[in-house]
Amino acid sequence: MSFLPSIYYRTPSLRSAPKISQTLSPLFDLLQSRYLLQIKYLFTDKTGTLTENTMFFRQCSVDGVKYVSTDGEIQQLNEDNNNKELAVSPWPVSVTALEDFLVTLALCHTVQVTSKSKAKGEVTVTSGDTMCMVDLSHRYQASSPDEKALVEACASFGVVFEGQHKDTLVLTVQGHNRRYTRLQVLDFDSAAPLCTADRKCMSVVVREDWSGRLWLLTKGAESSVLRRCRAGLRTLAVGRRELSDHQYQLFATQLSEARMMMEGREEAVRKVMDQMETELTLLGATGVEDLLQEGVQETLESLRVAGIKVWVLTGDKVETAVNIAYSCGHFKRFMTVLSLTGLQDVEHAAARLQQCTQESQAEGNYGLVVDGSSLQVLLDNLKDDFYSVCSRCIAVVCCRMSPKQKAETVRLVKKSKERPVCAAIGDGANDVSMIQEAHVGLGVMGKEGRQAVRCADFAFAQFRFLKKLLLVHGHWYYVRVSTLVQYSFYKNVTFITPQLFYAIWNAFSTQVRGVKKSGVMVTELYAVLGSPRLFI
């Protein structure tokens, strides 16, 4: 019953899938097909699932000045003249803040230089006072698309990451080589599926070879970086701190001891990292754009019409997630969007939750936005009331979430009184816990590896294939299962009824007559008359 439908499912998806996804079967677990038409809640990641996960550097803010990327060149926005773009090429060396910002981005990463291609033009370096933009002549390989986009942007703006040899990092700034020794790398912790920490940033410790100065360079989500910085601009996500030899040796010793602990290792390492990433000097903020996938808006609208509630669970900040929700049609302009953000304690959360409950009781269409810190307070103390508000909303967006919180959110809905069938879809390692927690796990073969795909029940190339999986194949599987149930029931009735009447004439003994003949007759008749329906 499952062989022919599975073959039919494979062909259209592979024929329409990008080349990168044709190396993997689009269907894993046929036993989960019985849930497809019963799904009531869909939990989806944003980056790489609803979007292409193809990042483009668009703008940055450094020392209170906004810069934009236009045709591979950096240009300054003149806010006094209606944000008219002013070219900053050649780029004055006196703008040390911009140079420090780009150097920090060019050093704080784990990008590898895989090859060097021929440059389209020659690198032009003027003498002394100014420097011009350079053509990108390197190919970079990174585990994160946004890291690659930032390094490529720095290279196009004149700060080129040449690569590394062992622990030595080489940059080209103003046509001159600079060498740095990388001493420590404090990775992002939110990429781990079961990680409980919430740093959402990464840092490197480097030493300038020509001066011997030590620097701690940090980048990450502004909610994480800002609380580690001293007073400065309001919306910055890149910072640095100069370290003395004594400070670094102390931190390195503590970090080494924490990493060798047998018990409580992750917590000890996190505490040492938090101690290192303090008193940072703010440098600037970056703006990276990610494009929506094809067919996302139509797919979300079809799922909504089918009665499936969609929750977007993302690690992005509130503003970005809400903008994407509107652009993809998850939030509608006619919706009343409720907000549960910035909740610090139980009393504040209870009061705000009561207000949202009263607002959602009136007739209308409602959406909900909640951030990670508020969600943790609600899950720990007001779980039932929070789910009651969510159940009245057509669309829900949860922002700044860790992988553990994604799984807890799925578990909240799955263990509710209604016991609805839940599905989760994602493309990265941080979605694995959410996918495994749901009844039906869906993986998208994207640019963040195959961890999500390997843990999922179904896998395909893009989010738009979800529409056909649930609404077409889910319906067909439901028809086949119902046909099989009817076949089993009526076959047993037809098979047992003659034996019951025959038992009256044989004094209810164990003697049987015609059992094999009647069984074969019923099976063959149903195979001839009813089997075509099994393969609809």
Side-chain angles (χ1 to χ4, degrees), residues 8 467-477:
Y8 185 77
K467 176 181 177 180
K468 186 171 186 179
L469 174 67
L470 298 184
L471 304 185
V472 178
H473 293 282
H475 170 73
W476 286 349
Y477 274 111

Side-chain angles (χ1 to χ4, degrees), residues 443-512:
V444 176
M445 182 60 182
K447 299 181 180 180
E448 296 188 6
R450 300 186 180 183
Q451 295 92 331
V453 168
R454 295 188 184 279
C455 296
D457 302 311
F458 299 89
F460 37 82
Q462 292 183 340
F463 184 81
R464 59 190 174 95
F465 294 133
L466 182 62
K467 176 181 177 180
K468 186 171 186 179
L469 174 67
L470 298 184
L471 304 185
V472 178
H473 293 282
H475 170 73
W476 286 349
Y477 274 111
Y478 205 74
V479 171
R480 282 189 288 270
V481 169
S482 61
T483 303
L484 179 63
V485 170
Q486 294 179 6
Y487 162 71
S488 300
F489 176 77
Y490 288 111
K491 187 190 79 168
N492 292 334
V493 170
T494 307
F495 183 72
I496 295 300
T497 302
Q499 303 302 320
L500 177 63
F501 284 100
Y502 179 72
I504 300 176
W505 302 100
N506 64 8
F508 293 95
S509 66
T510 57
Q511 181 181 2
V512 294

Side-chain angles (χ1 to χ4, degrees), residues 145-185:
D146 55 349
E147 274 198 341
K148 181 181 178 182
L150 293 176
V151 174
E152 289 178 344
C154 291
S156 65
F157 299 155
V159 181
V160 184
F161 175 61
E162 301 287 352
Q164 69 178 87
H165 178 67
K166 294 183 179 180
D167 292 329
T168 301
L169 306 179
V170 181
L171 297 184
T172 298
V173 182
Q174 293 184 274
H176 302 287
N177 285 343
R178 295 184 185 180
R179 294 182 178 271
Y180 300 82
T181 301
R182 186 164 62 188
L183 304 177
Q184 296 286 347
V185 178

Side-chain angles (χ1 to χ4, degrees), residues 381-448:
N381 303 278
L382 303 166
K383 183 182 301 185
D384 295 335
D385 295 336
F386 173 63
Y387 175 72
S388 177
V389 173
C390 292
S391 62
R392 300 189 185 98
C393 298
I394 299 176
V396 178
V397 174
C398 300
C399 316
R400 287 302 187 205
M401 299 190 70
S402 64
K404 182 181 178 181
Q405 288 179 322
K406 290 184 178 182
E408 290 176 346
T409 304
V410 176
R411 190 180 304 115
L412 169 68
V413 179
K414 188 174 74 171
K415 300 296 184 181
S416 61
K417 295 181 180 179
E418 296 83 2
R419 300 287 178 174
V421 177
C422 302
I425 181 172
D427 72 311
N430 58 342
D431 302 317
V432 170
S433 56
M434 173 180 69
I435 291 174
Q436 292 179 333
E437 183 64 36
H439 294 100
V440 180
L442 307 169
V444 176
M445 182 60 182
K447 299 181 180 180
E448 296 188 6

Side-chain angles (χ1 to χ4, degrees), residues 214-229:
L214 287 170
W215 293 97
L216 173 69
L217 310 177
T218 302
K219 72 174 183 180
E222 80 285 347
S223 61
S224 178
V225 176
L226 285 178
R227 61 185 176 87
R228 304 171 190 272
C229 297

